[in-house]
Amino acid sequence: MAEVAAFQRTTSPSVVEPAGRGSRHRLRTRLVEVAFIVPAVVYLVLFFGYPVVKNVVMGFQEYTTKTFYTGEAPWVGLENYRNVLGNAIFDRSLLNTLLFTAGSIAGQFVLGLAIALFFHKRFALSGVLRSLILLPWLIPMIAGTAVWRWILDTDNGALNRILSAVPGLDVHPDWLTSTSLALVAVIGVNIWLGIPFNMTILYGGLQEIPEELYEAGALDGATGWRAFRHITWPMLRPVVTVVLVLGVVYTLKVLDVILGLTNGGPANSTQTISTFSYDMSFRQFDFGAGAALGNVLIVISLVFAVVYLRLNRKAVDE
Amino acid sequence: MARHSIRRGTSGRTRAGLAALLVLPLALGACGGGAKGGSAAGSSSDTLRVLDYYNSEPNASLWNEAIEACGKTVGMKISREAVPGETLIQKVLQQSSSRTLPDVLMLDNPDVQQIAASGALAPLDDLGVDSSGVAEGVLKASTYEGKLYGLQPVTNTIALFYNKKLLDAAGVTPPATWDELKAAAAKLTSGDQYGFAMSNVNTYEGTWQFLPFMWSNGGDEKDIATPQVAAALQLDKDLLTSGSMSQSSVNWTQADVADQFAAGKAAMMINGPWNFGTLDEAEGLEYGIVPIPVPQAGGKAVSPFGGEAWTVPQTGDEAKQKKAAELVQCLNSDENEVKISLGTGTVPTKPALAGQVTSQNPNLTAFADQVPELRARTGELGPDWPKAATKIYTAVQNALVGGMTPEEALKQAQDG
């Protein structure tokens, strides 16, 4: 971000505006400018614009398996929205989406920050350990969830075996099969998955803070917690907002973790808007309803995207 | 920002680079076109394109053999593609929107009406296909608005598997009624061994496992908020709350259930013949198979049937569709039904052929016996089946772990 700001300064219009050249030349430069933008615009329109617009349109259509062959998708107005918003599962999945996102973000961020701070202090083997933290990122999610299902299994799972080995503790929590625990378990796995992202970005942010600040702070008696509160945290704030906002947008749409662990169950206790949308589209073949749910998710994400852009702009302006 | 920096100068080299960039997508497009041309060449007039999801053994090679042999019979070359099971429908939808459907298409039987309703399939009656001898229920699954769209050579269903050693040790005989099932399951539960296991997962697999209980008690998918379905669900719930069945069953697929049974952690299970391979690998496991217990002694078990039907998509090439129909007919010959049944642990859809199969593989008897009574999942609701199936597994989960009574769960699911 700092680079972007610097770039803007050196290329302010007054410096670059060429003085009085032929209009043909100007036209040509204009064309070249446009040509440079065209690939990016085509790419964006094709791969981002088209699907989003299509999804919005589909939300107002009766789009079923039939549509694929006949091409006919009758307009139904707001019926898809009435259907999905009136569905008993919707309230539950909206609440779950919020709980899942808030819980995941809180856990990922706090643990990610703690680990980043831990590794910020240089010590032997820190490089090796730091790369180990990245492991969750390297494992295909579907394999990760299979392993977690095994760990969290009630009867034979590793976690419950460890718990039962603790003297005086005789519990066998139904991690993935009780309606009250499944969401907690799913959030837990998603936190595990999100830690590398949070740690990496926050660690990068910590590296940016000049060492002199801490030296100067130490002279004034700011060490330990006080150094964190008065130096680290304020200096890290721009990175923190980026991590949080991106984290929210990524987490809102999480699908594979939930499908792999619980499939939205038991009894819809881990159903989120994205799993509900998947279910509508690809299990019940009601693509219109699935798209309507997708659009609800887009709107929620948009709110955070706007927040992100505003904060980002402010950070650049500063 | 970028605007100004470009204005500084557009040297010849930049322009050349730019030109190359602009040409790149065209070149890529040309490649794509080339590839498409290649596949089109493969589907010349003497070749039938076949699409299915038999991609693992023993299915893959058995079907390949049968399809190739039938290709020779009808005098056509074969170009066969086998895709992963879960991607087949996706592929079919893509192909139907781009009008590139194969000449012969295999579909999971509950999907046949869904695809037939879209208009993508040709009615087999019009192409002269003979379906005589096939069980009524099986034909019903492939019939949409009075016309037959698919022919299914072999089928499978579910039954009760029991661990012979564990039952002998506990002095329990295989249960035939619901009461016997509950008593047997309770007796067989001890330590970390459960008496009974089935899949109550929140997918169509869970619905498929619950159907025999619901149907055998007179339940109907048109309205599941009835005392008949509630009683079936109560049985499921009793097995769980009494501890005879693990709560994990709400998360278990049928494959997970088979693993539990193979490991001796469940004395009885509801499952199908596709697990013979898994079970054979378990050392020292001896099992028997009986029909799914019924509400009262003397009742008949009504089970859903699985397996896939062969269809002929509307490709617009009538001569080829005729040939494709001949291929489908050939795949459903008596000889092929028996051969494939024995090779893949399924049973022929023509009840008359059952004896030829069960005499060679007695394990299939419990399944073959059910064929005349088998019920199609899409028999009543047709393309509306997925919605009903979702209601059923949702109600099952809500009753088992969602804190609802079976009646409440079914009523809520039925009302949507």
Side-chain angles (χ1 to χ4, degrees):
Chain A
M1 270 173 306
E3 273 169 339
V4 176
F7 180 69
Q8 264 186 338
R9 265 197 301 281
T10 55
T11 58
S12 62
S14 58
V15 184
V16 214
E17 199 64 47
R21 300 224 185 132
S23 67
R24 262 190 71 182
H25 181 81
R26 200 166 291 166
L27 183 70
R28 211 158 72 188
T29 22
R30 255 232 115 84
L31 277 176
V32 172
E33 281 171 29
V34 171
F36 263 103
I37 302 168
V38 164
V41 170
V42 168
Y43 178 79
L44 284 173
V45 167
L46 267 182
F47 292 100
F48 294 97
Y50 176 75
V52 170
V53 171
K54 179 93 184 164
N55 205 61
V56 170
V57 172
M58 263 169 85
F60 298 106
Q61 287 176 313
E62 189 188 322
Y63 207 104
T64 59
T65 42
K66 216 174 186 156
T67 311
F68 284 88
Y69 187 73
T70 60
E72 288 160 22
W75 295 99
V76 291
L78 289 172
E79 202 186 301
N80 286 326
Y81 287 90
R82 267 196 293 274
N83 282 346
V84 295
L85 299 183
N87 195 311
I89 300 170
F90 181 80
D91 296 347
R92 180 81 216 219
S93 50
L94 182 64
L95 179 68
N96 283 345
T97 305
L98 299 178
L99 290 174
F100 179 78
T101 307
S104 297
I105 295 294
Q108 287 170 8
F109 179 76
V110 170
L111 290 173
L113 180 61
I115 294 170
L117 285 168
F118 177 67
F119 281 110
H120 192 46
K121 298 197 171 77
R122 280 163 221 289
F123 54 89
L125 287 182
S126 83
V128 178
L129 288 173
R130 199 144 36 90
S131 50
L132 274 179
I133 302 278
L134 297 181
L135 269 181
W137 240 355
L138 302 178
I139 299 171
M141 202 46 235
I142 204 69
T145 54
V147 173
W148 274 104
R149 269 189 69 163
W150 175 77
I151 293 173
L152 296 171
D153 187 81
T154 307
D155 300 315
N156 316 307
L159 182 59
N160 278 2
R161 282 184 190 207
I162 293 169
L163 285 180
S164 62
V166 176
L169 196 67
D170 187 30
V171 286
H172 273 84
D174 296 299
W175 294 110
L176 293 175
T177 58
S178 111
T179 46
S180 50
L181 274 180
L183 189 63
V184 175
V186 170
I187 290 174
V189 174
N190 196 49
I191 288 175
W192 169 79
L193 191 72
I195 285 174
F197 170 74
N198 284 263
M199 189 211 84
T200 310
I201 310 276
L202 291 170
Y203 182 77
L206 287 176
Q207 304 279 66
E208 295 271 303
I209 304 174
E211 201 54 41
E212 302 91 75
L213 282 179
Y214 290 101
E215 285 161 15
L219 289 179
D220 293 334
T223 52
W225 169 245
R226 292 178 72 182
F228 175 80
R229 234 194 95 190
H230 296 290
I231 303 169
T232 313
W233 186 250
M235 293 297 286
L236 206 56
R237 278 245 314 265
V239 182
V240 168
T241 47
V242 171
V243 167
L244 289 182
V245 176
L246 285 182
V248 167
V249 175
Y250 291 157
T251 310
L252 276 174
K253 58 173 190 181
V254 164
L255 187 70
D256 42 11
V257 180
I258 301 175
L259 287 186
L261 284 172
T262 61
N263 223 328
N268 290 316
S269 58
T270 56
Q271 198 80 259
T272 60
I273 295 183
S274 51
T275 58
F276 189 24
S277 166
Y278 175 87
D279 190 68
M280 277 291 180
S281 293
F282 299 108
R283 292 226 185 90
Q284 302 194 38
F285 303 124
D286 193 342
F287 295 94
L293 284 164
N295 292 333
V296 171
L297 210 52
I298 289 177
V299 170
I300 300 176
S301 300
L302 264 185
V303 173
F304 287 95
V306 168
V307 171
Y308 172 70
L309 287 176
R310 300 215 77 158
L311 287 173
N312 216 7
R313 193 192 298 156
K314 229 187 250 163
V316 170
D317 288 347
E318 267 163 14
Chain B
M1 291 178 292
R3 238 181 82 174
H4 302 298
S5 57
I6 285 169
R7 274 202 188 166
R8 265 192 196 153
T10 350
S11 68
R13 194 183 287 172
T14 329
R15 249 174 279 161
L18 180 69
L21 266 180
L22 286 177
V23 173
L24 190 66
L26 296 176
L28 288 173
C31 289
K36 220 177 222 171
S39 75
S43 61
S44 55
S45 61
D46 63 342
T47 305
L48 287 176
R49 281 171 59 221
V50 180
L51 177 64
D52 61 66
Y53 61 53
Y54 296 127
N55 49 28
S56 61
E57 296 305 333
N59 272 303
S61 43
L62 260 167
W63 281 102
N64 207 42
E65 223 173 89
I67 293 167
E68 287 291 340
C70 281
K72 286 215 177 77
T73 311
V74 304
M76 296 289 273
K77 284 187 203 148
I78 300 293
S79 152
R80 176 180 171 234
E81 185 185 0
V83 297
E86 63 277 15
T87 65
L88 182 75
I89 283 293
Q90 211 179 324
K91 181 130 190 156
V92 168
L93 293 178
Q94 280 165 357
Q95 290 184 336
S96 54
S97 64
S98 60
R99 303 286 149 132
T100 52
L101 283 164
D103 301 300
V104 177
L105 170 67
M106 182 223 76
L107 286 172
D108 194 8
N109 79 72
D111 295 331
V112 172
Q113 298 200 31
Q114 185 84 229
I115 303 300
S118 77
L121 301 179
L124 294 183
D125 318 288
D126 300 357
L127 294 166
V129 168
D130 173 24
S131 60
S132 54
V134 178
E136 201 56 40
V138 175
L139 287 179
K140 220 172 167 186
S142 294
T143 305
Y144 175 70
E145 292 187 342
K147 293 205 164 179
L148 185 70
Y149 285 90
L151 214 49
Q152 179 174 347
V154 295
T155 182
N156 55 47
T157 186
I158 40 181
L160 184 80
F161 289 62
Y162 61 93
N163 185 318
K164 283 184 177 166
K165 284 184 197 160
L166 295 179
L167 265 72
D168 284 347
V172 173
T173 50
T177 64
W178 287 5
D179 287 338
E180 288 173 26
L181 174 65
K182 275 201 262 188
K187 238 179 161 179
L188 290 161
T189 301
S190 69
D192 63 354
Q193 169 195 317
Y194 289 97
F196 177 77
M198 69 184 271
S199 165
N200 288 301
V201 73
N202 57 338
T203 64
Y204 298 152
E205 266 189 67
T207 301
W208 149 266
Q209 289 246 316
F210 180 69
L211 283 174
F213 295 101
M214 165 179 151
W215 280 344
S216 302
N217 200 35
D220 192 287
E221 57 270 29
K222 272 186 191 152
D223 179 11
I224 57 172
T226 60
Q228 287 85 357
V229 184
L233 189 44
Q234 188 65 53
L235 170 74
D236 201 349
K237 188 170 180 170
D238 287 348
L239 286 163
L240 188 127
T241 47
S242 67
S244 301
M245 175 170 72
S246 169
Q247 182 163 327
S248 299
S249 73
V250 295
N251 219 356
W252 279 343
T253 63
Q254 296 178 97
D256 296 327
V257 170
D259 287 342
Q260 296 290 324
F261 183 79
K265 289 183 182 294
M268 302 183 285
M269 70 163 176
I270 303 288
N271 228 319
W274 55 88
N275 290 304
F276 288 162
T278 310
L279 300 182
D280 288 345
E281 278 168 29
E283 244 171 82
L285 175 71
E286 287 171 40
Y287 61 90
I289 306 166
V290 290
I292 289 177
V294 289
Q296 262 92 42
K300 267 249 177 257
V302 185
S303 301
F305 66 88
E308 297 81 20
W310 293 89
T311 68
V312 176
Q314 296 275 18
T315 52
D317 185 341
E318 275 181 38
K320 254 188 165 182
Q321 278 179 233
K322 276 249 157 53
K323 283 288 176 191
E326 282 176 36
L327 189 89
V328 170
Q329 184 83 69
C330 173
L331 289 175
N332 286 270
S333 70
D334 293 2
E335 192 195 336
N336 271 329
E337 287 203 9
V338 172
K339 206 166 149 190
I340 291 166
S341 291
L342 285 171
T344 60
T346 50
V347 290
T349 51
K350 295 176 190 162
L353 303 173
Q356 294 183 43
V357 173
T358 51
S359 63
Q360 294 184 62
N361 185 354
N363 266 340
L364 290 170
T365 312
F367 303 100
D369 286 352
Q370 298 186 62
V371 169
E373 297 292 326
L374 287 181
R375 189 161 155 180
R377 281 165 280 176
T378 48
E380 276 189 7
L381 298 175
D384 290 334
W385 165 250
K387 292 242 182 282
T390 305
K391 286 178 182 176
I392 292 170
Y393 72 65
T394 306
V396 168
Q397 292 235 321
N398 278 334
L400 293 190
V401 293
M404 292 188 196
T405 66
E407 288 80 8
E408 285 166 2
L410 290 164
K411 188 165 185 339
Q412 198 206 55
Q414 181 63 38
D415 297 343

